[in-house]
Amino acid sequence: MKILVTGGLGFIGSHTVVELQNVGYDVVIIDDLSNASEKVLDGITAITGKKPLFEKLNLRERNKVEDFFHRHNDIEGVIHFAASKAVGESVENPLLYYENNLSSLVYLLKELVKKKGASFIFSSSCTVYGQADAMPITENAPVKNAESPYGNTKQIGEEIISDTCKAHEELQAIALRYFNPVGAHESAEIGELPIGIPQNLVPFITQTAIGLRDQLSVFGDDYPTPDGTCIRDYIHVVDLAKAHVIALQRLLNKKNKQRYEVFNLGTGRGSSVLEVIKSFEHVSGEKLNYKITGRRPGDVISAYADTVKANEELGWKAELDLDEAMLSAWKWEQKIRS
Ligand SMILES: NC(=O)c1ccc[n+]([C@@H]2O[C@H](COP(=O)([O-])OP(=O)(O)OC[C@H]3O[C@@H](n4cnc5c(N)ncnc54)[C@H](O)[C@@H]3O)[C@@H](O)[C@H]2O)c1
């Protein structure tokens, strides 16, 4: 069975390709290499022993997307990761984000609704909840005004998919709202490859420890949390990748209850920034150079998932813990700098 993975050479996409191949799917990757390297294909192949098909294609080019689906008319499911994801850049260049994240989604859906039956998995984010009123965050928590154009593309993306499912009976879809994906494959063959200064905590930690950055700034220790630093739900990327396979199979096996469904993907455990640093120091044996600075505008205080729906309805549960994620991220950082 042939599955299309867009953005399949990126961080979460590459780990998902591995898990899809591990259970026997044929994978075709589309990626425009705007935030990935073709070398990731070698990492995937080293793990699975099978090189996935790859097409360098920009999903903003509608004719090329149409042509791709003509040539691959046997695709039965699509997992759509391709998007621009830098929050700060989206504030500076909103049109780039609306164009890239939304036109690519629309062009894909236009092809899928032409098919007899189509299963579609969308990368959404816990940013849709903003600062939720209650913890842990359930899927029923209200969607708050987006803090950035990037966050808005996830909210609008969900609405586009929901509307399209209502109008086209053949389409069924699941939006997966990720909390904070971290870590790398245990083989250290694939992992996160941030371009420039990392936006996320874990690659910033590992780059500081390896000597690429002088110091990590912890943005604020005066939040109303036990140690004063912000709390997030860090989910191992391999657990996250496995959830995509399970969500896809739910659609392919017609186990879904509605034609458009939403699930949170997190561990259900909140960790503070200082706890993440402690976990890193514990598993790596390194002392991290960090300092406490002022709060960063736009940061929510706390966000962690209620996992009941994902556990009971989807049948997926995170298995790896923060220490395992930090160790895998550290092994990956050491490998790419060696
Ligand atoms: N990493 C996170 O913290 C996080 C959290 C929540 C949601 N998400 C979402 O998950 C998805 C994957 O995230 P990631 O961390 O793996 O990002 P990533 O940047 O590593 O992967 C995205 C991939 O899409 C490709 N791409 C971008 N625009 C494209 C286009 N127009 N045509 C073809 N390819 C294109 C990039 O080259 C890249 O390889 C994204 O949609 C992101 O918004 C990520």
Side-chain angles (χ1 to χ4, degrees):
M1 198 178 270
K2 202 195 263 185
I3 306 300
L4 167 63
V5 180
T6 75
L9 295 185
F11 173 42
I12 308 168
S14 56
H15 289 82
T16 303
V17 171
V18 165
E19 297 305 325
L20 285 166
Q21 289 191 321
N22 279 346
V23 293
Y25 289 105
D26 282 332
V27 177
V28 191
I29 296 173
I30 284 181
D31 202 299
D32 68 352
L33 303 181
S34 57
N35 199 34
S37 154
E38 211 170 328
K39 284 192 194 139
V40 175
L41 275 177
D42 300 334
I44 294 171
T45 312
I47 299 168
T48 64
K50 191 174 174 206
K51 195 169 184 168
L53 282 180
F54 166 60
E55 288 210 20
K56 181 172 183 249
L57 194 154
N58 185 339
L59 291 165
R60 292 202 302 263
E61 296 185 57
R62 183 165 173 212
N63 294 342
K64 293 204 173 150
V65 176
E66 212 172 341
D67 170 65
F68 174 89
F69 276 91
H70 276 139
R71 287 184 288 111
H72 295 274
N73 57 12
D74 51 348
I75 282 175
E76 304 206 26
V78 177
I79 308 185
H80 179 45
F81 292 104
S84 304
K85 64 163 185 178
V87 174
E89 187 186 43
S90 81
V91 174
E92 281 155 29
N93 197 347
L95 293 179
L96 173 76
Y97 275 66
Y98 288 117
E99 184 183 27
N100 198 36
N101 295 3
L102 298 181
S103 65
S104 58
L105 172 63
V106 170
Y107 298 159
L108 278 173
L109 292 175
K110 279 193 166 199
E111 296 311 310
L112 291 184
V113 297
K114 292 180 193 164
K115 293 171 82 73
K116 273 245 169 67
S119 299
F120 188 75
I121 309 289
F122 178 63
S123 295
S124 190
S125 166
C126 69
T127 56
V128 301
Y129 300 118
Q131 178 57 71
D133 304 321
M135 293 295 138
I137 304 174
T138 72
E139 288 80 355
N140 293 328
V143 168
K144 296 264 177 79
N145 280 343
E147 296 272 349
S148 68
Y150 165 74
N152 210 16
T153 65
K154 294 298 173 193
Q155 298 190 4
I156 299 170
E158 287 194 9
E159 287 171 12
I160 290 172
I161 299 165
S162 164
D163 289 345
T164 311
C165 284
K166 273 183 211 147
H168 296 274
E169 279 201 357
E170 290 291 330
L171 181 70
Q172 43 178 4
I174 293 179
L176 298 173
R177 293 175 175 164
Y178 315 153
F179 280 66
N180 291 66
V182 291
H185 195 268
E186 61 169 0
S187 64
E189 293 288 352
I190 53 173
E192 193 170 4
L193 270 176
I195 292 174
I197 299 173
Q199 308 248 332
N200 294 330
L201 177 62
V202 173
F204 210 109
I205 289 178
T206 55
Q207 287 195 8
T208 305
I210 207 100
L212 276 180
R213 315 265 153 221
D214 291 339
Q215 194 171 48
L216 169 80
S217 295
V218 175
F219 299 115
D221 68 349
D222 57 351
Y223 286 99
T225 62
D227 65 22
T229 63
C230 290
I231 289 179
R232 298 286 181 274
D233 184 338
Y234 295 92
I235 165 92
H236 198 300
V237 66
V238 171
D239 275 331
L240 197 63
K242 288 180 177 165
H244 288 76
V245 179
I246 292 172
L248 181 73
Q249 287 171 336
R250 178 177 174 87
L251 296 182
L252 294 173
N253 298 332
K254 308 259 176 279
K255 292 273 163 33
N256 47 322
K257 299 231 166 101
Q258 282 140 10
R259 281 194 294 107
Y260 173 66
E261 297 178 317
V262 172
F263 293 97
N264 283 343
L265 295 182
T267 64
R269 183 176 183 274
S271 302
S272 73
V273 177
L274 293 180
E275 282 173 329
V276 176
I277 293 173
K278 227 177 267 163
S279 164
F280 173 77
E281 291 185 331
H282 168 68
V283 298
S284 68
E286 302 282 325
K287 186 95 195 78
L288 194 74
N289 182 21
Y290 71 92
K291 67 167 182 217
I292 310 286
T293 62
R295 291 183 180 194
R296 184 172 60 173
D299 275 341
V300 301
I301 303 164
S302 180
Y304 54 95
D306 182 303
T307 60
V308 172
K309 189 175 177 202
N311 296 166
E312 292 179 3
E313 188 61 41
L314 190 61
W316 167 87
K317 196 173 192 310
E319 284 166 358
L320 301 166
D321 66 17
L322 184 61
D323 280 355
E324 288 166 300
M326 297 309 289
L327 183 60
S328 66
W330 181 229
K331 272 168 62 182
W332 165 246
E333 186 73 58
Q334 288 173 301
K335 164 142 193 238
I336 54 177
R337 308 300 166 196
S338 65

